[in-house]
């Protein structure tokens, strides 16, 4: 957790790399990092149970504390954009990580909208 500021820029850069393997690896590592910060585990199922939603809400609060508001918005916007990638495996990884750290997509999108635009 102490070296997040050193690791995060490389992972964010990897989300936009032209090689899809690097995008998938960056998403996987970003998911692991956010899970470690948020104190959750990667959701393998649909992530729609009440318990999963509560865990994601707690994770969002811890991530916001650890990263700061602007960094959190930038990371989530990159993650959201990766959900629309041309490669299926990248999209699936992004959706899995998104479900792990975001409880309500609409509320999160409203928060990160200025960064997305």
């Amino acid at each position: 957790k102490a070296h997040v500021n050193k690791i995060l820029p490389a992972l964010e850069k990897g989300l936009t790399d032209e090689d899809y393997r690097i995008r998938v690896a960056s998403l996987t590592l970003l998911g692991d990092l956010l899970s470690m910060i948020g104190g959750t585990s990667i959701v393998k199922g649909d992530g729609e149970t009440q318990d999963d939603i509560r865990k994601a809400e707690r994770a969002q609060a811890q991530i916001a504390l650890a990263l700061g508001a602007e960094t959190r918005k930038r990371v989530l916007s990159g993650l959201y954009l990766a959900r629309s990638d041309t490669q299926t495996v990248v999209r699936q990884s992004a959706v899995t990580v998104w479900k792990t750290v975001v409880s309500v997509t609409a509320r999160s999108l409203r928060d990160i909208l200025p960064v997305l635009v």
Side-chain angles (χ1 to χ4, degrees):
K1 290 184 181 180
H3 301 291
V4 170
N5 293 333
K6 295 179 182 176
I7 297 170
L8 201 54
L11 294 178
E12 286 182 280
K13 184 179 175 192
L15 292 178
T16 57
D17 197 273
E18 63 182 56
D19 187 1
Y20 81 93
R21 292 177 202 94
I22 293 175
R23 293 194 305 268
V24 170
S26 294
L27 279 167
T28 303
L29 292 172
L30 183 63
D32 291 344
L33 179 68
L34 294 176
S35 295
M36 183 183 70
I37 292 171
T40 63
S41 59
I42 300 293
V43 176
K44 297 294 183 195
D46 61 357
E48 296 298 325
T49 66
Q50 288 295 328
D51 190 43
D52 291 337
I53 292 171
R54 280 192 293 274
K55 285 180 184 177
E57 286 175 353
R58 282 193 301 268
Q60 273 190 313
Q62 290 177 337
I63 290 167
L65 283 174
L67 298 181
E70 290 304 314
T71 305
R72 176 187 157 274
K73 289 177 184 179
R74 193 176 65 240
V75 168
L76 288 181
S77 65
L79 187 58
Y80 186 78
L81 289 175
R83 293 177 53 176
S84 302
D85 197 273
T86 56
Q87 292 290 324
T88 305
V89 68
V90 176
R91 284 193 308 265
Q92 289 171 343
S93 294
V95 167
T96 302
V97 174
W98 180 264
K99 285 183 179 181
T100 301
V101 297
V102 172
S103 57
V104 180
T105 297
R107 186 183 322 144
S108 297
L109 279 178
R110 188 174 52 233
D111 290 343
I112 66 173
L113 188 63
V115 178
L116 281 172
V117 179

